Amino acid sequence: MNIFFEESGGFKAGTVLSQQGESYQVELPGGRRSKIKGRDVLLRFESPTPAELIAQAQAAAQDIDMSFLWECAPADEFAFPVLAAEYFGEGASVAQQAGLALALQASPIYFRRKGRGQYQRAGQEQLEAALAGLARKQQQAELQASYVDQMIAGTLPDALKGKELQLLFRPDKNTIEWKALEAAAIAMGKTHAEVMLACGGIASPRAYHEAAFLYEHFPRGTGFPDVGPTPLPGDDLPIADVQAFSIDDSTTTEIDDALSVQVLPDGLLRVGIHIAAPALGITRGDAIDEIARARMSTVYAPGEKITMLPDSVVEAYTLAEGGARPALSLYVVVKADTYDIVTTETRAERVPIAANLRHDELDSVITAQTLADGTGDYPHKEALRLLWPFAQSLYEKRQAARVGYGLRPEVQNKTDFNFYVDGEHITIRQRLRGAPLDLIVAEMAILANSRWGRLLAECGVPGIYRAQRAYGVNRTRMQTSPAPHEGLGVEQYAWSTSPLRRYVDLVNQWQLIACVRHGVTAKLAAPFKPKDADLYATVSSFEAAYAAYAEHQSRMERYWCMRWLIQENKSQVQASVLKGDTVRLNDIPLTLIVPGLSPHARGTQIMLDVLSFDVVTLSISVRVAQVLGASQSALADDDDEGDGGAGHGGEGGDGGQGTDGTDGAEGTEGADGADDGDDGMDTDEARGDIRTAQGDADDHSTMGRVDAPADADDSAQTLTTGAAHGASPRSAALMAAGAHDAPAGPAC
């Protein structure tokens, strides 16, 4: 005897081998045996065979008209053999009865299962609603298929237009648009972004990378709301008796800092470090403050920038030549023979700006030799001649402090890279660190940030500090109390010299102005009081924004490096081994992993064949063509490895070089934004401070970072973004804000 039964929610047929009470031992067509309870048996038959029955039942089920079957079914609950007799006639075969059972089970919109072999037809309204839903699904499936066909053909469906960014970066995976994009990507063997590019949904790989950042961090666009007239300081600010000058790249427009020198009697010099002072007009909680707090920093990337402050505010406070500008000035009186600091003083005033010097125009003229022998013809020659040995003295004292903290002295043989974008053409220029103008700007910035950090502490006013330990995890951190910055070799370091570009500096400037105006009562008048929760929130928000901007900058720099390879038609490139299978190209700051690279000493030169690369995924495939041997310059950098030099993040440093001195990286963080880097060359952190500038068009400097993995311990090259011409409207760039941090002089 054979039986048709229900098991695990499905229908099966088998031959009965034995029966014990209400249980059957059954052999299925495949040979498997199973124990079946009598209550699960639906039909008993002698022929056909179980396999034939299932085949015939499936064929019969396909021919059943479910609409007609529904009409034939009784309104009350029924057993399927009863309906089979009604539909097929009284002589319905076992195969027809089993087929009807299969059809009922497969059509829940027409019939509901009420028990084993028992069913009831759906109500009229429920059936109509279910059929309508089924029709909609069918229509959507057809529509989705048409979208897929259009994308495979290279056309973006109209339904997807205007949703490109949402589908790529924050999709609702239940929509047919996303399902169509997913299906097209699978069919074409491409990523979603590549499908969008092929269909014209995204204009170019560059636009894709920029849009990814903007969609996440500037979803409402990069423009500024109307904030009304720019708030300006009162007319009671005194005019400084100096003729100050700034040192930046030719493309820099957000000029945060300027310098001045005066010769005093008794063999003394009075050095002025003048920082743009938007905090004299902007107040905590006003409309402009809300904008700056939301952005936290100017964002920089090659060829692009998104400013922290509206253009009208920048124009009102930038230290442009030709007038007296609001500034917070640190005056340092030093001995002209030993360059020991005698006293310091901080003032809020208007500073006459005599000139905006451009280091890219003067680097070839102002050298260590011309400064030493007094030759050459350039503006503010005497002031620069006096600043040069003072900067050298500050540098040497910091190195001694670094050694005292257990670090090696900084190495000045690194290479910076400037990116200059003109439309879709990229120029990447190298610039060796350690030029006199670099050193002067960096040392004045470090001096200002450390002294002003001391002033805040002496007045009992909280500020935002950068602290760094020589060893251990989480070495570099931001906090609201002073602590040594061992990488820079200073007792405290408070970012204060880039208030036009970085919110932390603006906050510290508010606090410093309170110190200048109120002295010992400053902590009562300062906008942020001790243990102010808002100050802690600022630190947290800034660090999050800083990391996101740095990641975007790194991504865009990698993109432009690959574009440079395409532009220059490079099939072979020379690289230096950093560590293990990690190498960096010599001509551009692009770090790669070379699979299978045999162990080589750091600095070993290798020639690589460029096999392929993808500017969408930013991946590149290379292979070793030839091992050339060791490079003396690379080996020299090796001396800087570890805790002494710029460890792998070492020079990432503040991007100081950038137009606005990306001081952000602070050495350790320079390389990978991680606080665990080998902080090495933290002067970088300050380099940006007064922006030794290599800025980029319109000040698009990058954060000067070492484009190397966190464990590469590489301190040889730093990235700085260069000028941009014809920048894309949706550009975004990394947060490089020049680290204008300097200590303030007089104690409260």
Side-chain angles (χ1 to χ4, degrees):
M1 181 178 68
N2 303 317
I3 59 174
F4 178 72
F5 59 92
E6 183 178 351
E7 183 183 44
S8 301
F11 294 121
K12 299 176 183 178
T15 301
V16 176
L17 300 178
S18 64
Q19 179 179 3
Q20 292 182 350
E22 293 298 320
S23 296
Y24 297 88
Q25 185 73 18
V26 177
E27 183 178 44
L28 300 178
R32 181 175 70 86
R33 295 186 177 186
S34 182
K35 186 176 182 180
I36 304 301
K37 294 180 179 180
R39 67 188 182 193
D40 294 328
V41 177
L42 302 177
L43 296 172
R44 295 172 175 82
F45 60 96
E46 295 294 334
S47 63
T49 66
E52 290 173 343
L53 174 72
I54 294 299
Q56 293 173 14
Q58 290 174 342
Q62 294 294 325
D63 294 334
I64 293 177
D65 183 342
M66 296 308 299
S67 297
F68 180 68
L69 184 65
W70 181 85
E71 293 177 357
C72 294
D76 298 329
E77 182 180 326
F78 59 87
F80 74 91
V82 174
L83 184 59
E86 182 73 21
Y87 186 81
F88 291 107
E90 290 296 334
S93 67
V94 173
Q96 289 174 328
Q97 294 178 54
L100 188 134
L102 294 176
L104 292 174
Q105 188 82 349
S107 304
I109 65 173
Y110 286 95
F111 297 94
R112 297 175 182 173
R113 183 175 180 274
K114 304 297 288 185
R116 287 176 176 79
Q118 298 292 117
Y119 296 89
Q120 183 176 20
R121 74 176 188 177
Q124 178 74 33
E125 294 182 359
Q126 294 172 331
L127 177 62
E128 290 176 355
L131 290 174
L134 193 63
R136 284 195 300 271
K137 288 183 179 179
Q138 179 62 29
Q139 184 181 18
Q140 289 177 347
E142 294 173 356
L143 190 60
Q144 178 179 318
S146 71
Y147 292 165
V148 173
D149 292 340
Q150 291 180 61
M151 285 187 278
I152 292 175
T155 302
L156 185 69
D158 291 339
L160 274 67
K161 293 178 180 178
K163 302 178 181 178
E164 298 91 343
L165 301 184
Q166 180 182 350
L167 289 171
L168 288 175
F169 308 125
R170 199 172 295 168
D172 179 354
K173 296 185 179 181
N174 293 319
T175 62
I176 61 172
E177 291 84 1
W178 187 88
K179 292 177 181 178
L181 178 61
E182 171 76 358
I186 294 173
M188 299 169 70
K190 296 182 176 181
T191 64
H192 293 175
E194 289 172 326
V195 173
M196 278 294 183
L197 286 165
C199 297
I202 298 292
S204 67
R206 174 185 178 182
Y208 164 71
H209 294 304
E210 292 171 349
F213 172 76
L214 293 176
Y215 190 81
E216 176 68 22
H217 299 283
F218 293 87
R220 298 181 181 178
T222 59
F224 293 96
D226 183 10
V227 294
T230 299
L232 299 173
D235 296 332
D236 57 341
L237 281 181
I239 303 294
D241 185 20
V242 299
Q243 289 296 309
F245 58 92
S246 65
I247 304 173
D248 297 282
D249 187 80
S250 294
T251 55
T252 300
T253 57
E254 294 171 284
I255 302 174
D256 292 287
D257 49 82
L259 304 173
S260 66
V261 181
Q262 294 172 298
V263 178
L264 303 179
D266 302 324
L268 299 176
L269 296 177
R270 186 170 183 252
V271 176
I273 303 170
H274 312 284
I275 305 303
L280 290 171
I282 302 171
T283 58
R284 179 185 176 186
D286 69 11
I288 298 176
D289 173 43
E290 292 298 325
I291 291 172
R293 187 184 178 97
R295 300 198 174 196
M296 283 294 167
S297 169
T298 291
V299 181
Y300 294 92
E304 308 175 85
K305 80 172 174 181
I306 304 172
T307 59
M308 180 181 76
L309 296 172
D311 291 344
S312 59
V313 177
V314 173
E315 291 170 4
Y317 288 96
T318 184
L319 302 184
E321 64 185 17
R325 296 287 187 157
L328 189 65
S329 300
L330 173 68
Y331 290 101
V332 184
V333 177
V334 301
K335 295 180 180 179
D337 52 352
T338 63
Y339 297 103
D340 292 331
I341 296 176
V342 177
T343 185
T344 61
E345 179 186 10
T346 300
R347 294 182 180 179
E349 57 189 3
R350 294 183 186 275
V351 177
I353 307 299
N356 295 140
L357 305 185
R358 306 300 184 176
H359 68 77
D360 52 324
E361 300 172 357
L362 296 174
D363 276 344
S364 60
V365 178
I366 304 176
T367 64
Q369 184 62 42
T370 58
L371 287 169
D373 58 25
T375 59
D377 184 18
Y378 47 86
H380 296 274
K381 180 177 179 179
E382 181 60 18
L384 291 170
R385 185 187 67 79
L386 295 172
L387 285 172
W388 171 236
F390 178 44
Q392 289 177 302
S393 174
L394 291 172
Y395 176 80
E396 293 302 327
K397 291 174 182 176
R398 286 196 309 101
Q399 301 320 298
R402 277 176 60 93
V403 171
Y405 288 124
L407 296 171
R408 298 178 188 176
E410 296 166 6
V411 177
Q412 292 288 341
N413 63 344
K414 317 259 185 318
T415 301
D416 291 321
F417 289 87
N418 289 348
F419 289 69
Y420 294 87
V421 180
D422 186 359
E424 294 301 313
H425 185 275
I426 178 67
T427 300
I428 302 177
R429 296 176 184 168
Q430 299 184 21
R431 182 170 183 264
L432 189 65
R433 281 279 183 90
L437 292 181
D438 275 356
L439 187 67
I440 290 171
V441 171
E443 292 303 324
M444 296 306 109
I446 295 172
L447 175 60
N449 288 321
S450 60
R451 292 284 175 155
W452 273 335
R454 180 192 299 177
L455 176 60
L456 292 173
E458 290 173 343
C459 292
V461 173
I464 299 176
Y465 295 84
R466 299 284 286 181
Q468 188 183 93
R469 293 178 295 173
Y471 303 100
V473 296
N474 298 324
R475 290 184 300 218
T476 305
R477 61 197 178 280
M478 297 184 73
Q479 57 189 52
T480 58
S481 58
H485 193 302
E486 297 176 0
L488 285 174
V490 295
E491 295 179 358
Q492 63 281 312
Y493 194 74
W495 273 346
S496 311
T497 50
S498 276
L500 293 177
R501 311 159 187 271
R502 195 169 47 207
Y503 189 70
V504 167
D505 300 61
L506 181 61
V507 168
N508 281 341
Q509 191 173 82
W510 277 325
Q511 303 296 85
L512 288 166
I513 290 173
C515 293
V516 171
R517 290 178 170 173
H518 301 280
V520 294
T521 62
K523 60 184 177 182
L524 301 177
F528 294 87
K529 305 300 187 293
K531 298 184 180 180
D532 190 325
D534 220 17
L535 198 60
Y536 296 109
T538 296
V539 171
S540 177
S541 299
F542 179 83
E543 288 183 320
Y546 194 82
Y549 296 170
E551 181 181 357
H552 172 63
Q553 176 185 1
S554 177
R555 188 174 186 85
M556 293 308 298
E557 286 169 348
R558 188 172 182 86
Y559 166 79
W560 283 111
C561 284
M562 290 189 177
R563 284 298 305 271
W564 183 87
L565 292 174
I566 298 172
Q567 174 184 293
E568 302 300 320
N569 195 26
K570 292 286 186 178
S571 59
Q572 275 197 335
V573 289
Q574 188 170 334
S576 301
V577 174
L578 298 179
K579 186 176 183 180
D581 57 359
T582 303
V583 304
R584 187 184 53 230
L585 305 192
N586 292 349
D587 294 331
I588 56 176
L590 180 61
T591 300
L592 308 172
I593 301 297
V594 182
L597 179 64
S598 56
H600 293 285
R602 177 185 173 85
T604 299
Q605 298 296 291
I606 59 175
M607 188 66 71
L608 300 173
D609 289 328
V610 179
L611 303 180
S612 64
F613 44 79
D614 188 335
V615 294
V616 178
T617 62
L618 298 182
S619 59
I620 182 169
S621 176
V622 298
R623 69 183 174 197
V624 178
Q626 183 181 1
V627 178
L628 304 176
S631 163
Q632 293 302 317
S633 60
L635 293 177
D637 272 339
D638 198 46
D639 295 337
D640 202 26
E641 183 178 19
D643 49 3
H648 40 129
E651 41 195 79
D654 63 317
Q657 324 272 257
T659 297
D660 60 23
T662 46
D663 75 316
E666 167 145 40
T668 271
E669 310 183 341
D672 49 9
D675 282 334
D676 58 9
D678 228 297
D679 306 344
M681 180 140 177
D682 283 306
T683 27
D684 288 339
E685 180 155 2
R687 233 175 240 289
D689 277 359
I690 284 202
R691 292 179 343 272
T692 74
Q694 307 204 321
D696 40 355
D698 291 326
D699 223 22
H700 309 251
S701 110
T702 66
M703 287 189 53
R705 61 167 178 76
V706 177
D707 192 2
D711 60 348
D713 275 343
D714 175 34
S715 57
Q717 297 171 334
T718 307
L719 288 175
T720 328
T721 299
H725 304 290
S728 134
R730 18 176 169 175
S731 92
L734 276 183
M735 120 159 337
H740 295 30
D741 318 4
C748 294

